[in-house]
Amino acid sequence: QVQLVESGGGSVQAGGSMRLSCTTSLFSYRSTGCLTWFRQAPGKEREAVATIDNLARTTFYSGSVKGRFTISRDNAKSTVYLQMTSLKPEDTAMYYCAARDGAGTACYSDTWYTPASFTYWGQGTQVTVSS
């Protein structure tokens, strides 16, 4: 059974940094697939933050985090990272990693941010940024 496990969340002051990890063996041996970090704050819709394909050739970021967050992966460790810097109180949310694999599941520019297009989800890790 496919599992995604997030870790690294916690509390930090504004301006600080944090690194989230998402561990999965889903497609460490595959050539296709896409993994996206989403976040959801209370009372708000789930928002895509950043995405990376299996070969780390393609990445996309939301406008709200571009330049502050960096997504990367280490396939030898079956882990995708989200390095977050210059954190703001508005970054406070539950962060989830989500993945899809198989034909037609690459990180396309028009679908990487759509929650419904992802098959596998982690349980989430809370990030709280205080002012």
Side-chain angles (χ1 to χ4, degrees):
Q1 183 163 346
V2 174
Q3 285 188 316
L4 288 82
V5 180
E6 302 98 336
S7 62
S11 298
V12 66
Q13 288 196 329
S17 299
M18 186 178 291
R19 188 177 78 164
L20 305 183
S21 301
C22 175
T23 301
T24 177
S25 61
L26 175 62
F27 42 67
S28 59
Y29 56 92
R30 298 175 188 265
S31 60
T32 58
C34 184
L35 188 143
T36 293
W37 281 98
F38 288 86
R39 67 185 182 187
Q40 188 166 21
K44 294 189 176 181
E45 292 188 357
R46 192 163 293 191
E47 172 194 20
V49 174
T51 196
I52 190 166
D53 68 2
N54 189 43
L55 299 179
R57 292 176 181 171
T58 300
T59 59
F60 293 113
Y61 296 89
S62 70
S64 60
V65 306
K66 195 170 186 179
R68 300 188 297 121
F69 292 11
T70 303
I71 192 169
S72 62
R73 68 186 304 139
D74 184 340
N75 282 352
K77 296 182 179 180
S78 300
T79 300
V80 174
Y81 302 100
L82 184 68
Q83 179 68 49
M84 306 183 293
T85 63
S86 301
L87 283 161
K88 305 174 182 180
E90 51 263 45
D91 294 317
T92 295
M94 185 70 79
Y95 283 70
Y96 301 89
C97 58
R100 62 194 189 200
D101 72 328
T105 63
C107 296
Y108 299 113
S109 60
D110 59 345
T111 63
W112 73 269
Y113 49 82
T114 305
S117 67
F118 288 85
T119 306
Y120 310 104
W121 289 82
Q123 293 300 307
T125 185
Q126 177 69 37
V127 172
T128 302
V129 184
S130 58
S131 58

PDB file of all heavy atoms in Angstrom, residues 29-60:
ATOM      1  N   TYR A  29      11.389   4.381  -8.305  1.00  0.00           N
ATOM      2  CA  TYR A  29      11.921   3.567  -9.388  1.00  0.00           C
ATOM      3  C   TYR A  29      11.192   3.803 -10.695  1.00  0.00           C
ATOM      4  O   TYR A  29      11.386   3.094 -11.664  1.00  0.00           O
ATOM      5  CB  TYR A  29      11.821   2.087  -9.012  1.00  0.00           C
ATOM      6  CG  TYR A  29      10.421   1.654  -8.651  1.00  0.00           C
ATOM      7  CD1 TYR A  29       9.560   1.129  -9.607  1.00  0.00           C
ATOM      8  CD2 TYR A  29       9.947   1.780  -7.355  1.00  0.00           C
ATOM      9  CE1 TYR A  29       8.274   0.744  -9.282  1.00  0.00           C
ATOM     10  CE2 TYR A  29       8.661   1.397  -7.024  1.00  0.00           C
ATOM     11  CZ  TYR A  29       7.839   0.881  -7.981  1.00  0.00           C
ATOM     12  OH  TYR A  29       6.576   0.506  -7.645  1.00  0.00           O
ATOM     13  N   ARG A  30      10.326   4.791 -10.726  1.00  0.00           N
ATOM     14  CA  ARG A  30       9.533   5.047 -11.925  1.00  0.00           C
ATOM     15  C   ARG A  30      10.048   6.294 -12.639  1.00  0.00           C
ATOM     16  O   ARG A  30      10.709   7.129 -12.068  1.00  0.00           O
ATOM     17  CB  ARG A  30       8.063   5.246 -11.560  1.00  0.00           C
ATOM     18  CG  ARG A  30       7.407   4.052 -10.903  1.00  0.00           C
ATOM     19  CD  ARG A  30       5.989   4.414 -10.471  1.00  0.00           C
ATOM     20  NE  ARG A  30       5.375   3.375  -9.673  1.00  0.00           N
ATOM     21  CZ  ARG A  30       4.596   2.441 -10.166  1.00  0.00           C
ATOM     22  NH1 ARG A  30       4.337   2.409 -11.445  1.00  0.00           N
ATOM     23  NH2 ARG A  30       4.061   1.530  -9.382  1.00  0.00           N
ATOM     24  N   SER A  31       9.677   6.432 -13.871  1.00  0.00           N
ATOM     25  CA  SER A  31      10.101   7.607 -14.623  1.00  0.00           C
ATOM     26  C   SER A  31       9.018   8.666 -14.702  1.00  0.00           C
ATOM     27  O   SER A  31       9.279   9.776 -15.134  1.00  0.00           O
ATOM     28  CB  SER A  31      10.516   7.205 -16.039  1.00  0.00           C
ATOM     29  OG  SER A  31       9.425   6.609 -16.711  1.00  0.00           O
ATOM     30  N   THR A  32       7.800   8.339 -14.318  1.00  0.00           N
ATOM     31  CA  THR A  32       6.732   9.324 -14.379  1.00  0.00           C
ATOM     32  C   THR A  32       6.160   9.516 -12.991  1.00  0.00           C
ATOM     33  O   THR A  32       6.347   8.715 -12.092  1.00  0.00           O
ATOM     34  CB  THR A  32       5.594   8.882 -15.319  1.00  0.00           C
ATOM     35  OG1 THR A  32       5.075   7.632 -14.861  1.00  0.00           O
ATOM     36  CG2 THR A  32       6.098   8.729 -16.736  1.00  0.00           C
ATOM     37  N   GLY A  33       5.461  10.577 -12.831  1.00  0.00           N
ATOM     38  CA  GLY A  33       4.847  10.853 -11.543  1.00  0.00           C
ATOM     39  C   GLY A  33       5.069  12.291 -11.133  1.00  0.00           C
ATOM     40  O   GLY A  33       5.897  13.005 -11.692  1.00  0.00           O
ATOM     41  N   CYS A  34       4.322  12.695 -10.157  1.00  0.00           N
ATOM     42  CA  CYS A  34       4.358  14.088  -9.705  1.00  0.00           C
ATOM     43  C   CYS A  34       4.031  14.115  -8.220  1.00  0.00           C
ATOM     44  O   CYS A  34       3.153  13.377  -7.761  1.00  0.00           O
ATOM     45  CB  CYS A  34       3.323  14.884 -10.494  1.00  0.00           C
ATOM     46  SG  CYS A  34       3.296  16.666 -10.135  1.00  0.00           S
ATOM     47  N   LEU A  35       4.724  14.938  -7.479  1.00  0.00           N
ATOM     48  CA  LEU A  35       4.432  15.121  -6.068  1.00  0.00           C
ATOM     49  C   LEU A  35       4.294  16.607  -5.787  1.00  0.00           C
ATOM     50  O   LEU A  35       5.165  17.395  -6.168  1.00  0.00           O
ATOM     51  CB  LEU A  35       5.537  14.506  -5.190  1.00  0.00           C
ATOM     52  CG  LEU A  35       5.229  14.475  -3.695  1.00  0.00           C
ATOM     53  CD1 LEU A  35       5.774  13.196  -3.067  1.00  0.00           C
ATOM     54  CD2 LEU A  35       5.709  15.707  -2.974  1.00  0.00           C
ATOM     55  N   THR A  36       3.212  16.963  -5.144  1.00  0.00           N
ATOM     56  CA  THR A  36       2.931  18.359  -4.822  1.00  0.00           C
ATOM     57  C   THR A  36       2.737  18.534  -3.326  1.00  0.00           C
ATOM     58  O   THR A  36       2.105  17.705  -2.673  1.00  0.00           O
ATOM     59  CB  THR A  36       1.662  18.825  -5.567  1.00  0.00           C
ATOM     60  OG1 THR A  36       1.924  18.852  -6.981  1.00  0.00           O
ATOM     61  CG2 THR A  36       1.223  20.208  -5.127  1.00  0.00           C
ATOM     62  N   TRP A  37       3.270  19.609  -2.815  1.00  0.00           N
ATOM     63  CA  TRP A  37       2.961  20.028  -1.458  1.00  0.00           C
ATOM     64  C   TRP A  37       1.750  20.962  -1.516  1.00  0.00           C
ATOM     65  O   TRP A  37       1.739  21.926  -2.302  1.00  0.00           O
ATOM     66  CB  TRP A  37       4.128  20.774  -0.830  1.00  0.00           C
ATOM     67  CG  TRP A  37       5.232  19.900  -0.328  1.00  0.00           C
ATOM     68  CD1 TRP A  37       6.400  19.599  -0.956  1.00  0.00           C
ATOM     69  CD2 TRP A  37       5.271  19.234   0.937  1.00  0.00           C
ATOM     70  NE1 TRP A  37       7.157  18.776  -0.171  1.00  0.00           N
ATOM     71  CE2 TRP A  37       6.497  18.542   0.999  1.00  0.00           C
ATOM     72  CE3 TRP A  37       4.405  19.154   2.035  1.00  0.00           C
ATOM     73  CZ2 TRP A  37       6.877  17.768   2.106  1.00  0.00           C
ATOM     74  CZ3 TRP A  37       4.780  18.389   3.125  1.00  0.00           C
ATOM     75  CH2 TRP A  37       5.997  17.713   3.165  1.00  0.00           C
ATOM     76  N   PHE A  38       0.752  20.647  -0.706  1.00  0.00           N
ATOM     77  CA  PHE A  38      -0.423  21.496  -0.544  1.00  0.00           C
ATOM     78  C   PHE A  38      -0.435  22.011   0.890  1.00  0.00           C
ATOM     79  O   PHE A  38       0.221  21.455   1.775  1.00  0.00           O
ATOM     80  CB  PHE A  38      -1.721  20.704  -0.779  1.00  0.00           C
ATOM     81  CG  PHE A  38      -1.968  20.332  -2.200  1.00  0.00           C
ATOM     82  CD1 PHE A  38      -1.418  19.169  -2.732  1.00  0.00           C
ATOM     83  CD2 PHE A  38      -2.757  21.119  -3.018  1.00  0.00           C
ATOM     84  CE1 PHE A  38      -1.658  18.802  -4.052  1.00  0.00           C
ATOM     85  CE2 PHE A  38      -2.999  20.760  -4.331  1.00  0.00           C
ATOM     86  CZ  PHE A  38      -2.446  19.607  -4.844  1.00  0.00           C
ATOM     87  N   ARG A  39      -1.221  23.041   1.140  1.00  0.00           N
ATOM     88  CA  ARG A  39      -1.451  23.500   2.500  1.00  0.00           C
ATOM     89  C   ARG A  39      -2.888  23.961   2.638  1.00  0.00           C
ATOM     90  O   ARG A  39      -3.530  24.347   1.652  1.00  0.00           O
ATOM     91  CB  ARG A  39      -0.485  24.625   2.870  1.00  0.00           C
ATOM     92  CG  ARG A  39      -0.691  25.932   2.108  1.00  0.00           C
ATOM     93  CD  ARG A  39       0.398  26.920   2.475  1.00  0.00           C
ATOM     94  NE  ARG A  39       0.222  28.203   1.797  1.00  0.00           N
ATOM     95  CZ  ARG A  39       1.106  29.192   1.849  1.00  0.00           C
ATOM     96  NH1 ARG A  39       2.234  29.063   2.559  1.00  0.00           N
ATOM     97  NH2 ARG A  39       0.871  30.317   1.205  1.00  0.00           N
ATOM     98  N   GLN A  40      -3.361  23.885   3.864  1.00  0.00           N
ATOM     99  CA  GLN A  40      -4.723  24.309   4.132  1.00  0.00           C
ATOM    100  C   GLN A  40      -4.786  24.962   5.499  1.00  0.00           C
ATOM    101  O   GLN A  40      -4.456  24.334   6.514  1.00  0.00           O
ATOM    102  CB  GLN A  40      -5.694  23.128   4.059  1.00  0.00           C
ATOM    103  CG  GLN A  40      -7.145  23.547   4.135  1.00  0.00           C
ATOM    104  CD  GLN A  40      -8.082  22.436   3.716  1.00  0.00           C
ATOM    105  OE1 GLN A  40      -7.736  21.255   3.719  1.00  0.00           O
ATOM    106  NE2 GLN A  40      -9.293  22.801   3.330  1.00  0.00           N
ATOM    107  N   ALA A  41      -5.207  26.203   5.496  1.00  0.00           N
ATOM    108  CA  ALA A  41      -5.399  26.936   6.735  1.00  0.00           C
ATOM    109  C   ALA A  41      -6.861  26.826   7.148  1.00  0.00           C
ATOM    110  O   ALA A  41      -7.729  26.596   6.292  1.00  0.00           O
ATOM    111  CB  ALA A  41      -5.007  28.403   6.533  1.00  0.00           C
ATOM    112  N   PRO A  42      -7.159  26.986   8.416  1.00  0.00           N
ATOM    113  CA  PRO A  42      -8.549  26.881   8.875  1.00  0.00           C
ATOM    114  C   PRO A  42      -9.457  27.839   8.119  1.00  0.00           C
ATOM    115  O   PRO A  42      -9.152  29.020   7.970  1.00  0.00           O
ATOM    116  CB  PRO A  42      -8.442  27.249  10.355  1.00  0.00           C
ATOM    117  CG  PRO A  42      -7.051  26.893  10.735  1.00  0.00           C
ATOM    118  CD  PRO A  42      -6.221  27.202   9.525  1.00  0.00           C
ATOM    119  N   GLY A  43     -10.556  27.303   7.614  1.00  0.00           N
ATOM    120  CA  GLY A  43     -11.529  28.118   6.915  1.00  0.00           C
ATOM    121  C   GLY A  43     -11.166  28.469   5.492  1.00  0.00           C
ATOM    122  O   GLY A  43     -11.893  29.218   4.838  1.00  0.00           O
ATOM    123  N   LYS A  44     -10.063  27.930   5.008  1.00  0.00           N
ATOM    124  CA  LYS A  44      -9.634  28.241   3.641  1.00  0.00           C
ATOM    125  C   LYS A  44      -9.544  26.969   2.810  1.00  0.00           C
ATOM    126  O   LYS A  44      -9.470  25.868   3.335  1.00  0.00           O
ATOM    127  CB  LYS A  44      -8.277  28.958   3.669  1.00  0.00           C
ATOM    128  CG  LYS A  44      -8.317  30.326   4.318  1.00  0.00           C
ATOM    129  CD  LYS A  44      -7.008  31.056   4.114  1.00  0.00           C
ATOM    130  CE  LYS A  44      -7.072  32.465   4.684  1.00  0.00           C
ATOM    131  NZ  LYS A  44      -5.792  33.209   4.468  1.00  0.00           N
ATOM    132  N   GLU A  45      -9.534  27.155   1.495  1.00  0.00           N
ATOM    133  CA  GLU A  45      -9.412  26.020   0.592  1.00  0.00           C
ATOM    134  C   GLU A  45      -7.967  25.512   0.576  1.00  0.00           C
ATOM    135  O   GLU A  45      -7.034  26.240   0.881  1.00  0.00           O
ATOM    136  CB  GLU A  45      -9.836  26.431  -0.819  1.00  0.00           C
ATOM    137  CG  GLU A  45     -11.315  26.726  -0.958  1.00  0.00           C
ATOM    138  CD  GLU A  45     -11.727  26.939  -2.400  1.00  0.00           C
ATOM    139  OE1 GLU A  45     -10.851  26.918  -3.283  1.00  0.00           O
ATOM    140  OE2 GLU A  45     -12.930  27.094  -2.642  1.00  0.00           O
ATOM    141  N   ARG A  46      -7.839  24.265   0.195  1.00  0.00           N
ATOM    142  CA  ARG A  46      -6.517  23.679   0.061  1.00  0.00           C
ATOM    143  C   ARG A  46      -5.790  24.356  -1.101  1.00  0.00           C
ATOM    144  O   ARG A  46      -6.346  24.526  -2.181  1.00  0.00           O
ATOM    145  CB  ARG A  46      -6.632  22.182  -0.161  1.00  0.00           C
ATOM    146  CG  ARG A  46      -5.338  21.437  -0.020  1.00  0.00           C
ATOM    147  CD  ARG A  46      -5.580  19.957   0.163  1.00  0.00           C
ATOM    148  NE  ARG A  46      -6.232  19.671   1.441  1.00  0.00           N
ATOM    149  CZ  ARG A  46      -6.371  18.460   1.952  1.00  0.00           C
ATOM    150  NH1 ARG A  46      -5.918  17.411   1.282  1.00  0.00           N
ATOM    151  NH2 ARG A  46      -6.972  18.281   3.106  1.00  0.00           N
ATOM    152  N   GLU A  47      -4.554  24.706  -0.859  1.00  0.00           N
ATOM    153  CA  GLU A  47      -3.775  25.485  -1.824  1.00  0.00           C
ATOM    154  C   GLU A  47      -2.498  24.742  -2.181  1.00  0.00           C
ATOM    155  O   GLU A  47      -1.778  24.264  -1.297  1.00  0.00           O
ATOM    156  CB  GLU A  47      -3.416  26.848  -1.192  1.00  0.00           C
ATOM    157  CG  GLU A  47      -2.442  27.687  -1.989  1.00  0.00           C
ATOM    158  CD  GLU A  47      -1.869  28.845  -1.201  1.00  0.00           C
ATOM    159  OE1 GLU A  47      -1.915  28.818   0.040  1.00  0.00           O
ATOM    160  OE2 GLU A  47      -1.339  29.783  -1.835  1.00  0.00           O
ATOM    161  N   ALA A  48      -2.217  24.652  -3.471  1.00  0.00           N
ATOM    162  CA  ALA A  48      -0.959  24.038  -3.898  1.00  0.00           C
ATOM    163  C   ALA A  48       0.184  25.002  -3.666  1.00  0.00           C
ATOM    164  O   ALA A  48       0.059  26.204  -3.924  1.00  0.00           O
ATOM    165  CB  ALA A  48      -1.033  23.643  -5.362  1.00  0.00           C
ATOM    166  N   VAL A  49       1.310  24.468  -3.199  1.00  0.00           N
ATOM    167  CA  VAL A  49       2.451  25.293  -2.857  1.00  0.00           C
ATOM    168  C   VAL A  49       3.601  25.088  -3.840  1.00  0.00           C
ATOM    169  O   VAL A  49       4.142  26.049  -4.379  1.00  0.00           O
ATOM    170  CB  VAL A  49       2.917  24.976  -1.425  1.00  0.00           C
ATOM    171  CG1 VAL A  49       4.193  25.713  -1.093  1.00  0.00           C
ATOM    172  CG2 VAL A  49       1.825  25.313  -0.422  1.00  0.00           C
ATOM    173  N   ALA A  50       3.976  23.838  -4.054  1.00  0.00           N
ATOM    174  CA  ALA A  50       5.113  23.546  -4.931  1.00  0.00           C
ATOM    175  C   ALA A  50       5.013  22.109  -5.406  1.00  0.00           C
ATOM    176  O   ALA A  50       4.436  21.266  -4.727  1.00  0.00           O
ATOM    177  CB  ALA A  50       6.433  23.758  -4.199  1.00  0.00           C
ATOM    178  N   THR A  51       5.601  21.851  -6.559  1.00  0.00           N
ATOM    179  CA  THR A  51       5.536  20.512  -7.125  1.00  0.00           C
ATOM    180  C   THR A  51       6.867  20.118  -7.742  1.00  0.00           C
ATOM    181  O   THR A  51       7.672  20.987  -8.119  1.00  0.00           O
ATOM    182  CB  THR A  51       4.425  20.427  -8.186  1.00  0.00           C
ATOM    183  OG1 THR A  51       4.117  19.071  -8.474  1.00  0.00           O
ATOM    184  CG2 THR A  51       4.866  21.111  -9.484  1.00  0.00           C
ATOM    185  N   ILE A  52       7.097  18.816  -7.841  1.00  0.00           N
ATOM    186  CA  ILE A  52       8.320  18.312  -8.454  1.00  0.00           C
ATOM    187  C   ILE A  52       8.018  16.969  -9.091  1.00  0.00           C
ATOM    188  O   ILE A  52       7.242  16.180  -8.553  1.00  0.00           O
ATOM    189  CB  ILE A  52       9.449  18.197  -7.397  1.00  0.00           C
ATOM    190  CG1 ILE A  52      10.795  17.915  -8.065  1.00  0.00           C
ATOM    191  CG2 ILE A  52       9.125  17.136  -6.349  1.00  0.00           C
ATOM    192  CD1 ILE A  52      11.979  18.117  -7.119  1.00  0.00           C
ATOM    193  N   ASP A  53       8.622  16.723 -10.255  1.00  0.00           N
ATOM    194  CA  ASP A  53       8.401  15.425 -10.883  1.00  0.00           C
ATOM    195  C   ASP A  53       9.420  14.413 -10.382  1.00  0.00           C
ATOM    196  O   ASP A  53      10.301  14.741  -9.594  1.00  0.00           O
ATOM    197  CB  ASP A  53       8.426  15.544 -12.410  1.00  0.00           C
ATOM    198  CG  ASP A  53       9.804  15.894 -12.967  1.00  0.00           C
ATOM    199  OD1 ASP A  53      10.771  16.009 -12.196  1.00  0.00           O
ATOM    200  OD2 ASP A  53       9.911  16.042 -14.190  1.00  0.00           O
ATOM    201  N   ASN A  54       9.296  13.176 -10.846  1.00  0.00           N
ATOM    202  CA  ASN A  54      10.112  12.096 -10.307  1.00  0.00           C
ATOM    203  C   ASN A  54      11.591  12.274 -10.594  1.00  0.00           C
ATOM    204  O   ASN A  54      12.426  11.847  -9.805  1.00  0.00           O
ATOM    205  CB  ASN A  54       9.641  10.763 -10.881  1.00  0.00           C
ATOM    206  CG  ASN A  54      10.311   9.598 -10.184  1.00  0.00           C
ATOM    207  OD1 ASN A  54      10.443   9.596  -8.963  1.00  0.00           O
ATOM    208  ND2 ASN A  54      10.736   8.612 -10.939  1.00  0.00           N
ATOM    209  N   LEU A  55      11.909  12.894 -11.718  1.00  0.00           N
ATOM    210  CA  LEU A  55      13.309  13.060 -12.087  1.00  0.00           C
ATOM    211  C   LEU A  55      13.836  14.442 -11.726  1.00  0.00           C
ATOM    212  O   LEU A  55      14.953  14.799 -12.110  1.00  0.00           O
ATOM    213  CB  LEU A  55      13.466  12.811 -13.590  1.00  0.00           C
ATOM    214  CG  LEU A  55      13.058  11.413 -14.058  1.00  0.00           C
ATOM    215  CD1 LEU A  55      13.220  11.273 -15.560  1.00  0.00           C
ATOM    216  CD2 LEU A  55      13.870  10.339 -13.329  1.00  0.00           C
ATOM    217  N   ALA A  56      13.024  15.209 -10.999  1.00  0.00           N
ATOM    218  CA  ALA A  56      13.416  16.557 -10.557  1.00  0.00           C
ATOM    219  C   ALA A  56      13.757  17.464 -11.734  1.00  0.00           C
ATOM    220  O   ALA A  56      14.557  18.399 -11.587  1.00  0.00           O
ATOM    221  CB  ALA A  56      14.591  16.485  -9.587  1.00  0.00           C
ATOM    222  N   ARG A  57      13.149  17.214 -12.869  1.00  0.00           N
ATOM    223  CA  ARG A  57      13.387  18.071 -14.029  1.00  0.00           C
ATOM    224  C   ARG A  57      12.411  19.231 -14.064  1.00  0.00           C
ATOM    225  O   ARG A  57      12.674  20.261 -14.684  1.00  0.00           O
ATOM    226  CB  ARG A  57      13.225  17.258 -15.318  1.00  0.00           C
ATOM    227  CG  ARG A  57      14.296  16.216 -15.530  1.00  0.00           C
ATOM    228  CD  ARG A  57      13.977  15.408 -16.767  1.00  0.00           C
ATOM    229  NE  ARG A  57      14.965  14.358 -17.007  1.00  0.00           N
ATOM    230  CZ  ARG A  57      14.818  13.402 -17.918  1.00  0.00           C
ATOM    231  NH1 ARG A  57      13.729  13.356 -18.671  1.00  0.00           N
ATOM    232  NH2 ARG A  57      15.750  12.490 -18.077  1.00  0.00           N
ATOM    233  N   THR A  58      11.256  19.051 -13.435  1.00  0.00           N
ATOM    234  CA  THR A  58      10.200  20.052 -13.485  1.00  0.00           C
ATOM    235  C   THR A  58       9.792  20.446 -12.078  1.00  0.00           C
ATOM    236  O   THR A  58       9.529  19.579 -11.240  1.00  0.00           O
ATOM    237  CB  THR A  58       8.963  19.501 -14.217  1.00  0.00           C
ATOM    238  OG1 THR A  58       9.321  19.152 -15.547  1.00  0.00           O
ATOM    239  CG2 THR A  58       7.845  20.540 -14.242  1.00  0.00           C
ATOM    240  N   THR A  59       9.749  21.730 -11.825  1.00  0.00           N
ATOM    241  CA  THR A  59       9.215  22.261 -10.572  1.00  0.00           C
ATOM    242  C   THR A  59       8.335  23.465 -10.885  1.00  0.00           C
ATOM    243  O   THR A  59       8.587  24.197 -11.841  1.00  0.00           O
ATOM    244  CB  THR A  59      10.329  22.695  -9.603  1.00  0.00           C
ATOM    245  OG1 THR A  59      11.135  23.693 -10.226  1.00  0.00           O
ATOM    246  CG2 THR A  59      11.201  21.521  -9.183  1.00  0.00           C
ATOM    247  N   PHE A  60       7.309  23.615 -10.085  1.00  0.00           N
ATOM    248  CA  PHE A  60       6.461  24.795 -10.155  1.00  0.00           C
ATOM    249  C   PHE A  60       6.200  25.273  -8.738  1.00  0.00           C
ATOM    250  O   PHE A  60       6.184  24.474  -7.794  1.00  0.00           O
ATOM    251  CB  PHE A  60       5.113  24.498 -10.830  1.00  0.00           C
ATOM    252  CG  PHE A  60       5.198  24.159 -12.287  1.00  0.00           C
ATOM    253  CD1 PHE A  60       4.887  22.878 -12.739  1.00  0.00           C
ATOM    254  CD2 PHE A  60       5.570  25.107 -13.224  1.00  0.00           C
ATOM    255  CE1 PHE A  60       4.957  22.550 -14.076  1.00  0.00           C
ATOM    256  CE2 PHE A  60       5.647  24.789 -14.570  1.00  0.00           C
ATOM    257  CZ  PHE A  60       5.339  23.515 -14.987  1.00  0.00           C
TER     258      PHE A  60
END
